[in-house]
Amino acid sequence: MTEGNFVDYVKIHVFSGKGGKGSAHLHREKYITKGGPDGGDGGRGGHVIVKANKNLWTLFHLKFKRHVKAEYGGNGSKQRSSGAQGNDEIIEVPLGTVIRDTDTNEIIKEITEDGQEFIVAEGGMGGRGNWHFKSSTNQTPRYAQPGVDGQEVDITLELKVLADVGLVGFPNAGKSTLLSVITAAKPKIANYEFTTLKPNLGIVEYRDFKTFVVADIPGIIEGAAEGKGLGHRFLRHIERNSTLLFLIPADAKSIKEQYDILLDELKRYNPELIDKDRLIAISKSDLLDEELKQEMARELDKELKLPYLFISSVAQSGLTELKDKLWQMLNKEPV
Ligand SMILES: Nc1nc2c(ncn2[C@@H]2O[C@H](COP(=O)(O)OP(=O)(O)OP(=O)(O)O)[C@@H](O)[C@H]2O)c(=O)[nH]1
């Protein structure tokens, strides 16, 4: 799908470079005295490599790239000199990209770590020059190997969106409204297994093209009561998720109490979730006047042992601070 700059599916035809020819050069003097083949080896053809870049979040830059072709290896030449290696072609992709063989639809590789490289089409080996064969009785002095052909593959790149921030809150807390005001695009989710849960995912475009994905996690709370199957399937897709955002409406009877209930549900559901960083956003804070807000803040400072902030999707307040805070939490050095 394509929405703005968000592209999560592209097909590319890749060719690696053919290896250079080995040289069949004969050195005149040596030919007479020592049997003279001195042709060097051909260089390897360029590979086509898929490489992970953690600063990317979309396949948009590949949208119009139908073909990627790496350079041929250079031919060998006289005096045993080897041909140049063909330049590799690098296709940069975000983390979470799955590479498939377009013809068979088989997964060739999943790109999960920054800097990870995977050769999708290997450059052909260069041919050996004739000097390798000079003592061989069954080759003529003029014999040198041709370069090996490059590979030609159709690949499909698919971006599997993993959430960075999991949004947790009871129905009516304002989750959908928040997502609609802080996110720019909605990743395609139709093909994923957790579709039945209809998680609400959105991409937050943060300053300077940095982005993160926020997922409303309906399955966690409701799933806890209904049985764990569905929710667990969904959870696999939020494994990268490193921060939990609790959304609690300002008109809740007690913020602390709602938070404790949500946390308890999460813990019962999957204790590992509790290891993630947590932030509370008090939604619908436009319902509070300044005095009330300050009173509430004084209380929360005493009661809560985690950061919180007031936001309002309707009044568009506190949203920049929220994004800043989330970004900061997502990018802190691991302890
Ligand atoms: N005053 C005020 N109302 C809000 C705000 N955000 C959401 N609401 C209202 O709160 C109600 C629930 O909002 P939703 O965004 O649908 O809440 P949700 O958490 O997604 O609810 P579920 O889909 O049931 O899980 C709606 O009537 C919204 O209009 C806000 O910032 N201020």
Side-chain angles (χ1 to χ4, degrees), residues 165-167 174-175 177-183 204 206-207 212 214 243-248 278-284 307-313 316-330:
V165 176
L167 190 55
K175 300 185 295 293
T177 313
L178 175 65
L179 275 175
S180 74
V181 294
I182 62 169
T183 63
V204 178
Y206 190 62
R207 306 159 194 264
F212 53 91
V214 180
T243 294
L244 292 174
L245 175 62
F246 289 80
L247 202 63
I248 303 175
R278 288 170 245 158
L279 174 68
I280 296 182
I282 297 160
S283 62
K284 310 187 190 181
Y308 68 92
L309 37 83
F310 290 96
I311 63 162
S312 165
S313 305
Q316 302 261 322
S317 66
L319 301 178
T320 307
E321 291 83 346
L322 175 65
K323 287 192 262 186
D324 282 343
K325 183 71 190 167
L326 288 172
W327 183 258
Q328 187 196 333
M329 290 170 78
L330 291 171

Side-chain angles (χ1 to χ4, degrees), residues 57 161-167 201-204 211-215 237-245 276-277 326-327 330:
W57 59 281
V161 177
L162 303 172
D164 294 303
V165 176
L167 190 55
L201 269 107
I203 294 174
V204 178
T211 56
F212 53 91
V213 176
V214 180
H237 294 266
I238 57 164
E239 57 214 46
R240 195 175 81 186
N241 173 332
S242 41
T243 294
L244 292 174
L245 175 62
K276 297 184 186 300
D277 271 353
L326 288 172
W327 183 258
L330 291 171

